Amino acid sequence: GAVVSQHPSRVICKSGTSVKIECRSLDFQATTMFWYRQFPKQSLMLMATSNEGSKATYEQGVEKDKFLINHASLTLSTLTVTSAHPEDSSFYICSALRGTGLSYEQYFGPGTRLTVT
Amino acid sequence: DAKTTQPNSMESNEEEPVHLPCNHSTISGTDYIHWYRQLPSQGPEYVIHGLTSNVNNRMASLAIAEDRKSSTLILHRATLRDAAVYYCILRDWVAGNTPLVFGKGTRLSVIA
């Protein structure tokens, strides 16, 4: 299957600092990528849809100025958590969409665990 | 996407078959049934998907009810590595490039 990587796999940062998480599709080009967040013992919640070359679309309740998404190339999307606070501590998972027309498959990265102290 | 209902948790003995049920009574004619699983501290991974007919692959089998209002993921011989949260997700193929929407899934425990 297709491979999606994330970097870093885990990060600890101090409250008030910013953290950037990278998501790469290693063996295919992804026009569309998605960012999810998962709190302990909960399911994945979609945060935003990232389209190459255009602005991301955020889900209701997700602050676009806090979670900056950049999808500058067909293989890379980044999520920057700005002015992080302890409540932003979570497992962040990206996903890349492969396909065309009506046939798509969604591949997930291994996740990034963010801890804000 | 239409809603699915799964048991919160299930338990299985190692090397026994496991049947994970999923109800999707409001499924539409263009909804595919997808199953993903998430191992601890990892991203979800694809397991299997189908539309109307039963499907088999190296990981599992998917049995779809004739009226498509329910389906069952079958792991033929559970191993300790199969302990994960299993998500049953409906996805409208007409919707194209929309994201998968995850429910709560079923947490499968495998006992040695």
Side-chain angles (χ1 to χ4, degrees):
Chain A
V3 179
V4 176
S5 71
Q6 280 185 242
H7 178 80
S9 58
R10 58 177 62 233
V11 57
I12 301 172
C13 72
K14 292 186 177 180
S15 186
T17 61
S18 295
V19 174
K20 180 186 285 188
I21 302 170
E22 292 186 349
C23 175
R24 294 181 186 273
S25 55
L26 298 184
D27 52 356
F28 67 99
Q29 294 183 326
T31 305
T32 302
M33 291 184 175
F34 306 108
W35 287 95
Y36 293 81
R37 179 168 55 182
Q38 185 175 35
F39 293 108
K41 304 295 184 185
Q42 294 187 24
S43 187
L44 283 78
M45 294 297 296
L46 180 68
M47 297 176 68
T49 299
S50 168
N51 292 301
E52 187 267 336
S54 64
K55 290 183 178 180
T57 304
Y58 292 81
E59 295 299 300
Q60 191 172 10
V62 178
E63 299 174 56
K64 61 180 174 64
D65 294 329
K66 181 170 183 61
F67 298 99
L68 302 179
I69 292 173
N70 184 284
H71 193 156
S73 79
L74 289 171
T75 59
L76 173 64
S77 176
T78 60
L79 169 68
T80 301
V81 183
T82 62
S83 187
H85 288 98
E87 56 265 31
D88 298 323
S89 298
S90 188
F91 193 50
Y92 291 87
I93 303 168
C94 75
S95 177
L97 207 57
R98 183 174 76 172
T100 56
L102 295 177
S103 178
Y104 287 92
E105 296 172 5
Q106 192 168 337
Y107 298 91
F108 290 85
T112 296
R113 187 162 304 281
L114 170 64
T115 303
V116 185
T117 61
Chain B
D1 294 310
K3 184 178 172 61
T4 63
T5 304
Q6 299 177 251
N8 289 333
S9 62
M10 290 185 66
E11 202 172 78
S12 172
N13 293 318
E14 196 176 13
E15 299 194 5
E16 294 287 319
V18 183
H19 288 65
L20 297 165
C22 180
N23 287 321
H24 28 79
S25 58
T26 58
I27 191 170
S28 74
T30 52
D31 281 328
Y32 271 85
I33 302 160
H34 291 256
W35 283 83
Y36 280 74
R37 73 178 186 181
Q38 187 178 23
L39 279 63
S41 298
Q42 295 188 29
E45 66 172 337
Y46 168 82
V47 178
I48 201 166
H49 77 284
L51 185 62
T52 56
S53 304
N54 294 344
V55 184
N56 299 296
N57 66 22
R58 65 174 181 81
M59 288 182 72
S61 295
L62 176 59
I64 301 172
E66 200 169 328
D67 63 5
R68 300 212 322 128
K69 294 186 176 182
S70 66
S71 61
T72 302
L73 179 70
I74 302 166
L75 306 180
H76 296 286
R77 285 178 72 238
T79 69
L80 296 177
R81 288 177 296 178
D82 292 321
V85 179
Y86 287 78
Y87 298 96
C88 169
I89 304 170
L90 300 184
R91 187 168 184 197
D92 189 343
W93 67 266
V94 176
N97 58 351
T98 56
L100 292 168
V101 177
F102 288 78
K104 295 182 179 180
T106 297
R107 183 174 298 277
L108 175 67
S109 302
V110 180
I111 303 168

